[in-house]
Amino acid sequence: MDAGPVLWVLLQSLELESVRRGRAKPMSGVMKRMGMIFRAKANKALDRAEDPRETLDYSYQKQLELLQKVRRGVADVATSRKRLELQLNQLQSQSSKLEDQGRKALALGREDLAREALSRRAALQQQVTDLETQHTTLQGEEEKLTLAAQRLQAKVDAFRTKKETIKATYTAAQAQTRIGEAFSGISEEMGDVGLAIQRAEDKTQQLQARAGAIDELLASGALDDPTGMAKDDIQAELERLSGGTDVELELQRMKAELAGGSASQQAIEGGKDQSQSQSSAQPQDTPRFDKQ
């Protein structure tokens, strides 16, 4: 809760109490300053909370309500005019009826009845005249209200178009600003993302450094491996040298086997060649037997 309004109320109460008891003069300067600070903070808070699109929608809603009231007024005036027209029709019907009754009474020689009928007809005619005057007035008011409703409708339509244009422009500008802030990294959301990435990189580097340090300590023998899997640097070097010696010995053995196999093959091939040469040196004559 903001302490500004509470402090302002407390100071005002103390001032009123001091003035009531006659102990101090009104602290007009302090109160004016406190009031100015309070209004400035309230104005700033309202400015942050205000959305132009919501304000435009609210204004448009108020204009629609006003237009609805004007239309309702036109409907009420038209209803009154129609009611007067019905009354005029009734009075005119009664006037015509009284006129017919006066003629019939005069035809029958009843002049007194004819005079009474005409007197009543004259009173009705006065009412008809008054209603016609009211009807004319209401008709004029109805025309004015209808014209005002049409003009207000045109203004409301123009305001709606202007409102939607301003809202679209404001939304586009807001989106462009957010995109620019996101690309530049100065927005709150991207700032939080950047901080999270930085923290993740720092923790990763810290873990990598710790793992490297532990490996070095295990290799140097400064730390013991309880699993027995780790080897110190001397043992690792001995195993590397012995592994290299075993490889060399195996290589020399393979060379000796290959050399021995080649000598045996040459000896066998030499024996075959000698036997073939001897068989080719023997005579090829065979004994012949003559027939007796």
Side-chain angles (χ1 to χ4, degrees), residues 27 52 76 92 121 124 137 159 192 225 238 267:
M27 297 183 294
D76 293 339
Q92 288 175 357
R121 182 177 178 277
L124 289 176
T137 302
F159 181 79
D192 295 338
D225 186 8
L238 291 174

Side-chain angles (χ1 to χ4, degrees), residues 61-277:
Q61 185 66 32
K62 287 298 181 182
Q63 291 185 10
L64 288 179
E65 292 177 0
L66 179 60
L67 179 61
Q68 187 67 24
K69 290 180 180 180
V70 173
R71 289 176 175 175
R72 191 178 297 111
V74 174
D76 293 339
V77 172
T79 302
S80 300
R81 176 183 57 79
K82 192 65 178 177
R83 188 181 301 111
L84 287 178
E85 289 178 355
L86 293 175
Q87 292 179 0
L88 283 172
N89 292 332
Q90 291 178 358
L91 291 177
Q92 288 175 357
S93 298
Q94 293 178 4
S95 177
S96 299
K97 182 179 179 180
L98 289 173
E99 184 178 1
D100 293 339
Q101 290 176 352
R103 288 177 180 174
K104 290 181 179 180
L106 188 60
L108 294 174
R110 295 292 304 272
E111 185 176 351
D112 55 341
L113 291 177
R115 185 177 292 106
E116 181 65 22
L118 292 177
S119 298
R120 294 180 181 180
R121 182 177 178 277
L124 289 176
Q125 284 297 121
Q126 184 63 36
Q127 293 181 10
V128 169
T129 302
D130 295 339
L131 289 178
E132 287 179 350
T133 303
Q134 294 180 10
H135 181 270
T136 303
T137 302
L138 287 176
Q139 192 172 7
E141 293 294 331
E142 182 181 357
E143 292 176 356
K144 291 180 181 179
L145 288 175
T146 302
L147 183 60
Q150 293 175 355
R151 292 178 179 177
L152 183 59
Q153 180 67 52
K155 290 183 179 181
V156 170
D157 293 339
F159 181 79
R160 180 181 60 186
T161 304
K162 185 70 173 179
K163 173 181 71 73
E164 296 299 329
T165 303
I166 294 175
K167 286 176 62 178
T169 305
Y170 180 82
T171 303
Q174 188 180 33
Q176 186 176 2
T177 302
R178 289 180 177 177
I179 292 172
E181 290 178 352
F183 278 121
S184 60
I186 62 176
S187 63
E188 295 181 359
E189 293 82 0
M190 294 305 296
D192 295 338
V193 172
L195 291 176
I197 293 174
Q198 184 64 37
R199 289 194 297 269
E201 291 178 352
D202 293 341
K203 289 184 178 180
T204 302
Q205 293 177 359
Q206 183 179 0
L207 290 175
Q208 290 176 349
R210 185 175 180 84
I214 292 174
D215 291 338
E216 291 179 358
L217 292 174
L218 288 174
S220 63
L223 294 178
D224 295 332
D225 186 8
T227 62
M229 300 297 293
K231 301 176 182 179
D232 57 6
D233 53 350
I234 298 175
Q235 183 65 27
E237 184 66 20
L238 291 174
E239 290 181 357
R240 187 183 65 80
L241 292 175
S242 62
T245 303
D246 294 340
V247 172
E248 292 295 331
L249 291 175
E250 184 69 19
L251 183 61
Q252 293 296 331
R253 186 182 63 79
M254 287 183 178
K255 287 182 178 181
E257 290 178 355
L258 291 174
S262 299
S264 300
Q265 184 70 23
Q266 289 177 359
I268 294 171
E269 289 179 355
K272 287 182 178 181
D273 293 338
Q274 186 176 3
S275 61
Q276 288 178 359
S277 62

